[in-house]
Amino acid sequence: MEPILQVNHLSVSFDTYAGKVEAVRDISFNLQPGETLALVGESGCGKSVTCRTIMRLLARNANIDQGSVLFRGDDLLKKSNREMRAIRGGKIAMIFQDPMTSLDPTMQIGRQIAEAVTLHSRVSRRDAKKRAVQLLHQVGIENPEKRYRQYPHEFSGGQRQRIVIAIALAANPDILIADEPTTALDVTMQAQILDLIKEIQKATGTSVIFITHDLGVVANVADRVAVMYAGRIIEIGTADEVFYDPRHPYTWGLLASMPTLATDSETLYAIPGTPPTLIHPAPGDAFAPRNAYALEADRIADPPLFPVSATHLAATWLLDPRAPQVQPPESIRLRAEEYRQKQSAKGASL
Amino acid sequence: MKRWTKYIGTRLFYMALTLFIITSATFFLMNALPGTPYNNQDRLTQVQLDMLNKKYGFDQPLMQRYVNYLGNVLHGDFGVSLQFSDQPVATLLGQRIGPSIQLGLQAVAFGTVIGVFLGVIAAMHQNRALDVFCSLFAITGRSVPNFVVAVLLQFIFAVTLKWLPIGLWDEGFRSTILPTLALSISPMAESCRFIRTEMVEVLSSDYIELARAKGMSEIRIAFTHGLRNGLIPLITVLGPMTVSLMTGSLVVENIFAIPGIGEQFTKSILSNDYYTIMAVTILFSALLVSVIFLTDILYQIIDPRVRIEGAK
Ligand SMILES: Nc1ncnc2c1ncn2[C@@H]1O[C@H](COP(=O)(O)OP(=O)(O)OP(=O)(O)O)[C@@H](O)[C@H]1O
Ligand SMILES: [Mg+2]
C-alpha cells in the first residue's frame, strides 16, 4: 500500500542564543493508511518538533535544514501558508498534551467545535452546530446539546481532552497526531482516552501518530513503534518487534525502565545519565556515553540503521557483522522468551 | 437570579458607604484649609466677616454644619457657589458637565479602539518592524502631554487647513473632533501598550496553538480567540481611565475654550468655594464608584470564569 505520509531525511534546528539546537537529525519514517505509529523517547528527544514540522507549526526560530514530508505524495514543506491552512485540521489534525489549557476559556466549547467544522466545509451555522453536537456525542460527552453551550472550566480534564478530540475529528482528517494526549491525565482517564482514540480509529480509519514517553501506553495502541533519541530514530519496527526483539541498547533501557506487574517500584530500573546537548552534538551514537554496551565504533561514527527484518531497523554498531556478539540484559531476554511461549501457545490452540 | 440581586444589593450598599466616607473626609479636610471663601477677605472688617459667615451659616459649629450639609445633599440640595454670585452649585455643574462627559467618552471610545487595534498588530509582529513602530507610537503618546498635541492639532487642522473650528462649543460634533483627538492620545497609547503585552502572552498559549492546528489564519486567530482573552483585563484599566477623562481636562478645555467642568474644579479649590468643591468631589467619586461597579458586572458577563458562584 502507498503510505499516506512519508518523512524523508528530515532535519530541523533552532537558532538560540546558546547556539544552533539540532532538535531533529535526519529522520525518515512512513505512515500507512489506518495504522497507528507510536513515537517514543525521553523528554526533549524531538517528538513534538517532528510533529510540528509535519503540521508546519514550528516556532519562528526554527529552520528546516533538509528533507521532505510527503502527504499523499505532495511535499508539505513546499506548500504555501494558505494551502497549509486547508491541510491543518482538514487533512491532518493534532491533539495536544494539556487539555486544561487547550481550549479557549472564553468561548462555549460547542462553538469551538463548530468553528473547526466551518473552517473546512461550506456548511450553514445550523448544520455546523448539529455536527458539533454529534461529535460531542461521538467522543462520549453526555447531554451534548446542553453541554454545547458550556465553557471549558465546567468540564473535567478528561472531558476537555474529549472535546479537543472532537475538534480534531471535525473535518474527518486522514491523519491524527496525538502529542502525549494522556500525559496530563490520571490513570483511569488515560485508559478511557486511549480507548476512545482506538475506537475512533476503528470507526473512521484515520492513521494516527501517537507520541508518548510511556511505553506501557504504546503497547496498548501502536501497530508500529519508532524510538527516538537525541533527535534521531534509533529503532523502528512493528510493536511486537520493538517490544519483544529490541536491538538497540537504548530500547533495552526504555523497556527495562517500564513498570510491569512483575516489578515493584523499588527495583524499577532507570537509564543512568541524561540525554546529550543538541547544540553541536558529538559524532557517533548519541546514546554511547550512557550505554554499558557501547562499542568503540559507537563513539566515533554514526551507526546507520541496520535492517533486522523487512520491517525492523535499528541504529547500533552492535548489528554490524564485525561487532562482537552481545547478549541483551536478562529482563529483555525474558520478555522475548515469554513472547515466544505465548505465540506458540496461541499457535497450538489454533 | 436571587444571587445576582443579593450581589448587586451588597455592592450598592458598599458604594453608598464609600461615598459617605469620601464626602465626610472631604468636608472636614476642606474646612481645615486656611483662608475663607471670600476673595476680598483682606479688606473685610470683622463685622462684615461675621455677617457673611452668618449669611452662609459658617458661624455654626462644624459638626452642626456637617449634619446640615448631609441632610441637604440627601434632599438634592448641593448649596450655592460662593464665587459665582450665589448660583446653585447643581445648576452650575449641570451646565458644564455635559461637554466634559461627551469629550471624555468620545476620547476613550476612539482611543481604545485604535489603541487595541495597534496593540494586536504589534503583538502579531512581535519584535519586528511593525511592533517597533507601534511601541514607539505608544511611548510617544504616553510621554507627550495632551496639551502639546492639542495645540499641534489646532495649528494644523484649524489654523492652517481651516478644516475644523479652532475652539468653542457651537458647531455640534465638529467642535468636538479636535479636543477628542487630543484627549484620545493617552487612552490610545495606554491601551496599545496594555493590549500588546496581554496579547503577546495570549498568542503563545495552548488554545491559540490549537486554533492554528484547526487551520485558522493568524489574523482571524488574533482578532477572535486572541482579542477575546486579551480584552478582558483591559476592562479593569478602562474604567478609571474613562472617569479621569470624563471629569475634564483643565488645559485641553482651556485651549479649545470649552465650557467644561475641569476648569471649574480647579478654580473652586483655589478660591475655597466650599460647596462647589464638595459637589465636584461627590460627583467624581460617584462616577468612579459606579464605573468600578459596572466594570465588575461587565467582567462577569464577559469572562465566564468569574461568574458569581451558582448564578447560572
Ligand atoms: N522554539 C525552540 N527553540 C529552541 N529549542 C527548541 C525549540 N523548540 C524545541 N526546542 C528543543 O528541541 C528539542 C526537542 O524538543 P521536543 O519538544 O520535540 O521534545 P519532546 O520529545 O517533544 O519532549 P517532551 O516529551 O518533553 O515533550 C529540545 O531540546 C528542545 O529544547
Ligand atoms: Mg513534546
Side-chain angles (χ1 to χ4, degrees):
Chain A
M1 224 186 313
E2 178 77 357
I4 191 160
L5 188 79
Q6 287 174 279
V7 174
N8 299 315
H9 299 289
L10 182 69
S11 293
V12 180
S13 62
F14 293 96
D15 297 323
T16 68
Y17 288 115
K20 204 170 152 89
V21 177
E22 299 187 27
V24 165
R25 301 187 287 155
D26 191 27
I27 67 168
S28 302
F29 63 87
N30 290 341
L31 184 69
Q32 299 296 335
E35 83 166 337
T36 300
L37 172 73
L39 276 185
V40 302
E42 280 166 300
S43 186
C45 68
K47 306 181 295 285
S48 297
V49 171
T50 305
C51 291
R52 282 164 181 276
T53 312
I54 297 171
M55 291 289 276
R56 291 263 307 273
L57 281 177
L58 288 169
R60 231 188 265 151
N61 61 340
N63 316 297
I64 297 175
D65 300 321
Q66 61 161 26
S68 60
V69 175
L70 305 183
F71 172 70
R72 297 187 184 287
D74 265 358
D75 192 350
L76 295 184
L77 304 184
K78 297 211 171 82
K79 297 253 181 232
S80 68
N81 283 335
R82 196 200 184 93
E83 290 170 315
M84 248 352 262
R85 283 206 296 275
I87 288 172
R88 265 183 229 133
K91 304 289 179 201
I92 309 180
M94 191 155 174
I95 307 170
F96 296 93
Q97 176 169 347
D98 190 353
M100 298 314 274
T101 53
S102 287
L103 294 166
D104 183 341
T106 60
M107 195 187 263
Q108 295 174 354
I109 58 105
R111 285 194 49 207
Q112 300 190 43
I113 303 173
E115 189 180 69
V117 174
T118 47
L119 272 170
H120 298 286
S121 57
R122 281 175 197 280
V123 290
S124 68
R125 254 164 188 265
R126 263 189 68 218
D127 287 345
K129 181 171 177 181
K130 244 195 234 156
R131 169 100 175 111
V133 170
Q134 180 215 327
L135 282 162
L136 278 173
H137 178 76
Q138 188 184 349
V139 297
I141 299 284
E142 283 176 28
N143 236 330
E145 241 129 277
K146 175 176 162 241
R147 308 220 77 180
Y148 181 97
R149 284 187 306 275
Q150 294 187 330
Y151 291 89
H153 71 276
E154 297 172 70
F155 294 85
S156 72
Q159 286 173 322
R160 290 193 211 184
Q161 197 60 301
R162 286 170 192 270
I163 295 164
V164 173
I165 293 174
I167 291 175
L169 295 178
N172 287 317
D174 296 330
I175 301 176
L176 183 64
I177 299 178
D179 191 349
E180 312 211 25
T182 60
T183 308
L185 301 174
D186 65 46
V187 183
T188 39
M189 278 302 165
Q190 284 188 5
Q192 287 179 18
I193 296 293
L194 284 183
D195 285 344
L196 177 65
I197 292 177
K198 280 197 281 187
E199 205 177 284
I200 284 164
Q201 190 174 23
K202 217 183 257 165
T204 61
T206 34
S207 313
V208 176
I209 297 180
F210 195 100
I211 301 185
T212 177
H213 50 243
D214 181 351
L215 278 171
V217 168
V218 176
N220 209 340
V221 294
D223 299 311
R224 286 196 306 132
V225 179
V227 183
M228 288 189 71
Y229 187 79
R232 291 180 188 277
I233 289 181
I234 52 96
E235 183 153 10
I236 182 167
T238 65
D240 284 344
E241 284 166 339
V242 172
F243 271 92
Y244 303 108
D245 188 20
R247 295 305 175 96
H248 198 288
Y250 178 64
T251 316
W252 297 345
L254 275 187
L255 285 167
S257 56
M258 176 180 151
T260 63
L261 291 179
T263 53
D264 53 75
S265 55
E266 275 162 38
T267 61
L268 196 58
Y269 172 80
I271 304 173
T274 50
T277 157
L278 296 172
I279 300 176
H280 304 302
D285 182 354
F287 186 56
R290 302 167 71 186
N291 182 2
Y293 303 90
L295 303 172
E296 200 44 43
D298 280 323
R299 301 184 203 278
I300 297 164
D302 295 0
L305 279 161
F306 289 95
V308 179
S309 75
T311 50
H312 188 183
L313 304 166
T316 165
W317 286 115
L318 290 176
L319 292 174
D320 190 275
R322 290 162 292 181
Q325 282 302 306
V326 169
Q327 284 294 311
E330 194 185 344
S331 65
I332 300 296
R333 287 202 308 269
L334 282 176
R335 295 178 72 88
E337 196 64 32
E338 244 171 67
Y339 178 66
R340 242 172 272 127
Q341 274 165 17
K342 249 198 310 201
Q343 289 302 93
S344 57
K346 237 197 227 161
S349 70
L350 278 176
Chain B
M1 220 48 232
K2 217 177 131 204
R3 304 248 177 177
W4 270 104
T5 327
K6 192 176 156 211
Y7 174 76
I8 292 179
T10 322
R11 287 298 303 263
L12 287 177
F13 170 74
Y14 280 109
M15 281 163 68
L17 188 66
T18 313
L19 281 182
F20 170 74
I21 293 174
I22 293 176
T23 309
S24 311
T26 317
F27 187 90
F28 290 111
L29 282 174
M30 185 182 71
N31 276 289
L33 286 178
T36 68
Y38 318 119
N39 51 15
N40 49 354
Q41 56 174 305
D42 295 340
R43 278 173 281 132
L44 293 175
T45 63
Q46 191 57 42
V47 180
Q48 285 171 312
L49 263 179
D50 286 345
M51 270 170 60
L52 278 168
N53 281 342
K54 196 174 170 68
K55 174 183 170 197
Y56 292 110
F58 295 154
D59 54 341
Q60 292 168 14
L62 192 58
M63 219 46 217
Q64 181 64 44
R65 283 166 49 202
Y66 171 64
V67 173
N68 287 348
Y69 182 74
L70 283 186
N72 290 342
V73 165
L74 284 181
H75 290 100
D77 175 7
F78 288 86
V80 293
S81 165
L82 304 167
Q83 58 174 329
F84 288 102
S85 47
D86 297 352
Q87 278 195 62
V89 171
T91 322
L92 264 181
L93 292 188
Q95 286 165 356
R96 298 184 142 237
I97 190 75
S100 292
I101 288 189
Q102 187 188 350
L103 283 184
L105 288 179
Q106 282 182 194
V108 167
F110 178 73
T112 323
V113 169
I114 303 292
V116 164
F117 184 79
L118 291 178
V120 172
I121 299 293
M124 284 179 68
H125 298 84
Q126 200 190 341
N127 299 333
R128 284 183 280 178
L130 264 176
D131 183 21
V132 175
F133 172 78
C134 290
S135 300
L136 272 179
F137 171 79
I139 293 169
T140 318
R142 274 157 59 88
S143 34
V144 176
N146 57 14
F147 60 84
V148 174
V149 180
V151 172
L152 216 66
L153 286 172
Q154 209 173 33
F155 180 75
I156 298 173
F157 294 102
V159 177
T160 312
L161 296 170
K162 296 198 171 33
W163 287 353
L164 290 161
I166 195 163
L168 291 177
W169 196 251
D170 51 5
E171 288 191 40
F173 180 68
R174 278 167 54 81
S175 298
T176 70
I177 295 177
L178 290 183
T180 300
L181 284 181
L183 287 174
S184 70
I185 295 299
S186 113
M188 197 183 295
E190 187 63 37
S191 49
C192 171
R193 188 195 59 90
F194 191 93
I195 283 288
R196 181 197 175 271
T197 317
E198 211 52 53
M199 284 289 283
V200 162
E201 195 182 319
V202 167
L203 286 181
S204 66
S205 59
D206 289 355
Y207 54 86
I208 296 297
E209 195 67 1
L210 185 75
R212 290 193 183 110
K214 275 181 186 175
M216 279 178 99
S217 65
E218 282 301 314
I219 196 107
R220 200 169 149 195
I221 290 174
F223 281 96
T224 58
H225 294 285
L227 206 50
R228 283 176 88 91
N229 287 276
L231 271 182
I232 291 173
L234 182 69
I235 299 172
T236 328
V237 285
L238 215 54
M241 204 147 78
T242 313
V243 174
S244 79
L245 282 176
M246 279 196 309
T247 49
S249 154
L250 169 70
V251 189
V252 172
E253 282 176 5
N254 262 335
I255 291 174
F256 291 102
I258 293 162
I261 203 172
E263 188 186 4
Q264 201 157 24
F265 187 40
T266 324
K267 269 194 196 155
S268 66
I269 291 183
L270 293 177
S271 60
N272 269 345
D273 188 351
Y274 290 155
Y275 294 123
T276 311
I277 298 180
M278 285 306 297
V280 173
T281 309
I282 294 175
L283 181 74
F284 285 11
S285 320
L287 276 174
L288 192 60
V289 172
S290 328
V291 162
I292 291 174
F293 174 64
L294 286 179
T295 307
D296 286 354
I297 298 279
L298 206 60
Y299 230 108
Q300 312 222 5
I301 293 172
I302 292 184
D303 190 344
R305 288 162 300 184
V306 297
R307 283 185 191 154
I308 27 177
E309 303 287 293
K312 285 175 202 164

